[in-house]
């Protein structure tokens, strides 16, 4: 998970963006959790072919 600062393009409001990767079996649970925390959150889905993480715990 990565969190970064953003500014609303229309509102100009300071926001946080939470970026994380889940597998296809976790998408519905992730959506339910996000909507429970923030019903107005935007969720985008992108297909990922592979993930490389140099700092991943072993």
């Amino acid at each position: 998970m990565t969190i970064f600062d953003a500014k609303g393009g229309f509102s100009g409001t300071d926001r946080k963006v939470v970026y994380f990767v889940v597998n296809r079996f976790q998408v519905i649970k992730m959506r339910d959790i996000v909507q429970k925390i923030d019903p107005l959150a935007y969720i985008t889905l992108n297909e990922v072919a592979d993930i490389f993480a140099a700092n991943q715990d072993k």
Side-chain angles (χ1 to χ4, degrees):
M1 178 176 75
T2 301
I3 300 172
F4 53 92
D5 295 323
K7 184 176 289 277
F10 178 74
S11 68
T13 305
D14 290 334
R15 306 211 181 253
K16 297 282 184 192
V17 173
V18 180
Y19 179 85
F20 52 94
V21 178
V22 297
N23 67 41
R24 62 187 169 125
F25 303 108
Q26 298 168 320
V27 170
I28 293 172
K29 185 173 183 179
M30 176 271 309
R31 184 195 64 202
D32 293 343
I33 292 169
V34 170
Q35 288 181 341
K36 192 176 290 185
I37 294 169
D38 183 356
L40 300 177
Y42 290 111
I43 299 172
T44 61
L45 299 175
N46 294 298
E47 187 172 338
V48 176
D50 212 339
I51 298 173
F52 301 97
N55 61 347
Q56 184 176 359
D57 294 335
K58 297 181 183 203

